[in-house]
Amino acid sequence: MNLQNLMVDLIRQSTANVFSTMLGVELASGEALVESGTPETNDGVVSLIGLAGAWAGTGSVSCSPALACRICSLMLMMESTGVDEDVLDAVAELTNMIVGSVKNDLEPHLGPLGLSIPTVVFGRNFRTKSAGTTEWTVVRFPWETEVLVVKICLSPSEKTHTTCHMMGQTCALDV
Amino acid sequence: MAIRAIHEAGDGQEALELLKCQSVNLVLSDINMPKMDGIQFLAAMKASPQWRNIPVVMVTTEGGEAKVGEAVRLGAAGYVRKPFTADQIKEKLAGILEQVAPL
């Protein structure tokens, strides 16, 4: 199976499962696309989490401030009206669960992967870029009147990929 | 299950400081934490004569055998994989609290 198709499937499954279990929300299946070139500008909350191992990259969850507050309200069962520390923590935890679950399901294909502590950014008109990676697998989930975006970029770590080919092995997945 | 109070800490180091001034019946700890992760925190608790008998339940997104196995080997009383429902965590904690002194 193509790695991008696999990641799309896993992002859809993981996000739906986390939303259903933690927030009691049944998400519609998201629209998938590949993002390359200059990343779009962001307005709102973006949470980033690093993946490292034989493959390395970044996972991200982004949404509007209103959606971030809604996530926090549902997760912590308290009313959130503005982006504060609780809201940023809730989005970070959501990212940890979504990307962590994708990571767990990718490990049988790609080998062990480590997960970093999430970093959350809140602001307007900013871009995020993962050094060394140009393509993101993106799934856009419509929720109420807004959109939650889950993205992952992943590529073979240079040393592992080179060693793999020097030893005449083939990559587990069609990249 | 009657809970009298819940004390929160942001990471393992903060949790160890909290344990110095609070008496607790059970600890619920994430694995992926800044400064001191859940595995290091669990090891520190189990190395302490004062805290080694307090049951520790790990909450984690890590489904891999390595992290969970390490936690169990260090003496974790159980683990809950994220995401979880409120009922799942209540059931897990009630089961563990039944085995220790009542609150």
Side-chain angles (χ1 to χ4, degrees):
Chain A
M1 185 186 219
N2 175 285
L3 178 60
Q4 265 169 0
N5 292 341
L6 176 63
M7 286 206 292
V8 167
D9 286 349
L10 295 179
I11 290 170
R12 282 185 174 138
Q13 285 168 24
S14 166
T15 309
N17 183 34
V18 169
F19 267 69
S20 169
T21 311
M22 300 300 294
L23 310 181
V25 170
E26 300 304 324
L27 273 186
S29 181
E31 170 207 3
L33 58 127
V34 174
E35 187 180 276
S36 55
T38 308
E40 287 178 13
T41 56
N42 294 281
D43 282 325
V45 178
V46 178
S47 176
L48 299 152
I49 192 163
L51 293 156
W55 289 63
T58 308
S60 106
V61 171
S62 53
C63 62
S64 69
L67 221 50
C69 291
R70 183 106 173 89
I71 288 166
C72 182
S73 298
L74 291 167
M75 190 183 280
L76 304 183
M77 292 182 240
M78 60 180 218
E79 190 63 22
S80 295
T81 52
V83 177
D84 57 15
E85 199 173 334
D86 284 336
V87 171
L88 298 180
D89 282 349
V91 177
E93 188 52 50
L94 192 86
T95 310
N96 183 45
M97 283 188 272
I98 292 172
V99 180
S101 176
V102 172
K103 173 202 92 91
N104 289 337
D105 291 335
L106 281 174
E107 283 180 324
H109 304 279
L110 305 181
L113 296 168
L115 197 63
S116 77
I117 304 291
T119 298
V120 194
V121 183
F122 171 44
R124 297 193 68 181
N125 197 28
F126 64 94
R127 285 191 170 92
T128 59
K129 184 180 185 308
S130 182
T133 308
T134 55
E135 282 198 346
W136 290 80
T137 302
V138 182
V139 184
R140 296 167 58 87
F141 296 92
W143 182 26
E144 297 176 347
T145 57
E146 304 202 47
V147 176
L148 177 108
V149 181
V150 180
K151 309 198 307 190
I152 293 181
C153 64
L154 209 49
S155 56
S157 298
E158 195 58 38
K159 190 179 169 191
T160 307
H161 200 60
T162 307
T163 306
C164 179
H165 284 287
M166 280 171 65
M167 293 172 71
Q169 295 168 349
T170 52
C171 292
L173 284 160
D174 176 21
V175 184
Chain B
M1 180 173 60
I3 295 174
R4 275 209 298 263
I6 296 173
H7 307 286
E8 289 180 48
D11 57 64
Q13 274 179 11
E14 207 178 295
L16 288 178
E17 289 304 312
L18 200 146
L19 283 171
K20 290 176 187 169
C21 53
Q22 295 289 348
S23 173
V24 303
N25 297 80
L26 183 139
V27 172
L28 197 58
S29 173
D30 206 335
I31 288 183
N32 200 15
M33 294 190 291
K35 294 182 191 168
M36 176 187 276
D37 70 21
I39 297 293
Q40 293 169 312
F41 168 65
L42 175 65
M45 275 193 72
K46 294 301 168 185
S48 156
Q50 192 184 350
W51 302 325
R52 71 165 51 125
N53 292 325
I54 301 172
V56 182
V57 177
M58 309 306 290
V59 182
T60 180
T61 51
E62 297 280 354
E65 288 300 312
K67 283 276 171 73
V68 171
E70 195 177 358
V72 170
R73 187 177 52 78
L74 283 168
Y79 75 95
V80 180
R81 190 172 166 185
K82 292 189 252 184
F84 52 79
T85 62
D87 285 344
Q88 284 169 338
I89 198 121
K90 269 201 263 185
E91 191 181 331
K92 173 65 81 175
L93 299 189
I96 288 166
L97 283 172
E98 269 176 21
Q99 297 165 28
V100 298
L103 286 169

